[in-house]
Amino acid sequence: MIGRLNHVAIAVPDLAAATANYRDVLGAKVSAPHDLPEHGVTVVFVELGNTKIELLHPFGANSPIAGFLEKNAAGGIHHVCYEVDDIIAARDKLKASGKRVIGDGEPKIGAHGKPVLFLHPKDFSGTLVEIEQV
Ligand code: CO
């Protein structure tokens, strides 16, 4: 069912410092910061040969990653995103397997303009999993 690793998202307390680390120390190609008010985050995309890293920083008052950064002051891996061909079929199979889909179960448009869903970390070895239809 799952395909490629689309991205690993890392919550960071200092977006400029994290971006500089990837660009200047690791020599990666990084994007400009993108504010995504509907997701409560500012994102910098780090392009790797085989996948992406997304550096996430809180945007606005009710950011979904603010609590995560309170518990992980240095930042940390927030979620991994796997590609699927058909997100509705994937959702239905996951639900039939007893996996919890976060929210109302309807895909939302994610940071790349494509439908995404998030799966409960307790069902996936303590890891928040995003699936994205590509
Ligand atoms: Co993501």
Side-chain angles (χ1 to χ4, degrees):
M1 182 170 77
I2 64 169
R4 294 175 62 243
L5 174 66
N6 185 276
H7 61 271
V8 176
I10 302 176
V12 301
D14 182 335
L15 190 56
T19 302
N21 248 346
Y22 275 88
R23 183 190 54 222
D24 302 335
V25 179
L26 296 176
K29 189 175 155 207
V30 303
S31 76
H34 295 276
D35 292 335
L36 304 173
E38 67 276 21
H39 296 286
V41 292
T42 301
V43 184
V44 167
F45 299 101
V46 180
E47 292 290 338
L48 304 179
N50 55 349
T51 190
K52 291 185 289 289
I53 304 295
E54 291 185 6
L55 304 175
L56 304 180
H57 188 71
F59 180 94
N62 298 309
S63 174
I65 62 165
F68 182 91
L69 281 172
E70 273 167 31
K71 285 181 227 134
N72 304 276
I77 293 178
H78 185 263
H79 65 267
V80 295
C81 177
Y82 303 127
E83 297 181 353
V84 297
D85 290 330
D86 180 336
I87 199 163
I88 299 299
R91 175 198 66 190
D92 292 347
K93 174 154 199 291
L94 286 156
K95 285 171 96 171
S97 305
K99 305 305 181 191
R100 287 166 285 185
V101 176
I102 292 173
D104 64 7
E106 293 308 313
K108 294 201 170 38
I109 298 303
H112 316 112
K114 302 197 172 130
V116 302
L117 284 169
F118 285 90
L119 309 175
H120 201 293
K122 287 195 174 148
D123 294 337
F124 286 94
S125 311
T127 304
L128 179 61
V129 172
E130 178 180 26
I131 55 173
E132 177 175 303
Q133 181 171 298
V134 292

